[in-house]
């Protein structure tokens, strides 16, 4: 599987490259009243209002820091932007090895996963395909730690 590897605080995450539309520097995000705490709000990307998910908040880190990058992904027919700290690169990952790694949402707060599923089942399905990578796996690919 080809994946875009990103860093979110101390986590490394592999996003399926087929779902990634583009990466970009962080943009202005307008908050949405009543949104779950992991939804930062809406950003205008290519003329469309796109929901921005703070992956750190989804994983239970509420430290007030903002990610430096956005990763625009396709969750079904809808665009979604994931706020991350860094984009590390594209890697070819062994599907068998990925089976042994936990899904990104395994590290997420259960209440956040429930909220995400209620708001957008396709976004939940996409994030279920993303994986948390152990530091050793990234190092073995020759990536920076």
């Amino acid at each position: 599987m080809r994946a875009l590897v990103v860093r979110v605080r101390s986590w490394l995450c592999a996003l399926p490259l087929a779902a990634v539309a583009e990466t970009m520097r962080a943009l202005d995000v307008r908050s949405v009243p009543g949104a779950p705490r992991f939804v930062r709000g809406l950003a205008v990307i290519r003329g469309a209002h796109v929901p921005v998910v703070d992956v750190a908040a989804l994983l239970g880190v509420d430290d007030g820091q903002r990610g430096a990058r956005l990763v625009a992904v396709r969750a079904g027919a809808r665009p979604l932007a994931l706020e991350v700290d860094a984009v590390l690169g594209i890697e070819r990952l062994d599907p068998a090895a990925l089976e042994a790694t936990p899904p990104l949402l395994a590290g997420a707060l259960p209440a956040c996963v429930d909220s995400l599923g209620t708001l957008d089942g396709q976004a939940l399905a996409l994030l279920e395909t993303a994986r948390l990578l152990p530091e050793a796996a990234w190092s073995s690919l020759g990536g920076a730690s």
Side-chain angles (χ1 to χ4, degrees), residues 44-124:
V44 177
I45 300 175
R46 304 218 177 269
H49 288 88
V50 177
V52 176
V53 171
D54 179 349
V55 178
L58 187 66
L59 292 170
V61 177
D62 193 10
D63 58 8
Q65 283 186 283
R66 295 295 169 220
R69 305 285 292 179
L70 292 180
V71 178
V73 296
R74 291 175 295 278
R78 286 181 282 225
L80 178 70
L82 304 176
E83 185 179 72
V84 301
D85 295 332
V87 174
L88 301 178
I90 297 171
E91 295 291 340
R92 187 172 299 279
L93 304 174
D94 178 18
L98 283 179
E99 288 298 318
T101 63
L104 169 67
L105 293 181
L109 296 174
C112 291
V113 175
D114 291 344
S115 292
L116 182 60
T118 301
L119 290 172
D120 191 337
Q122 291 179 321
L124 179 67

Side-chain angles (χ1 to χ4, degrees), residues 1 14 93-103 106 128-134 137:
M1 170 181 117
L93 304 174
D94 178 18
L98 283 179
E99 288 298 318
T101 63
E128 276 293 337
T129 64
R131 295 286 189 223
L132 291 173
L133 294 175

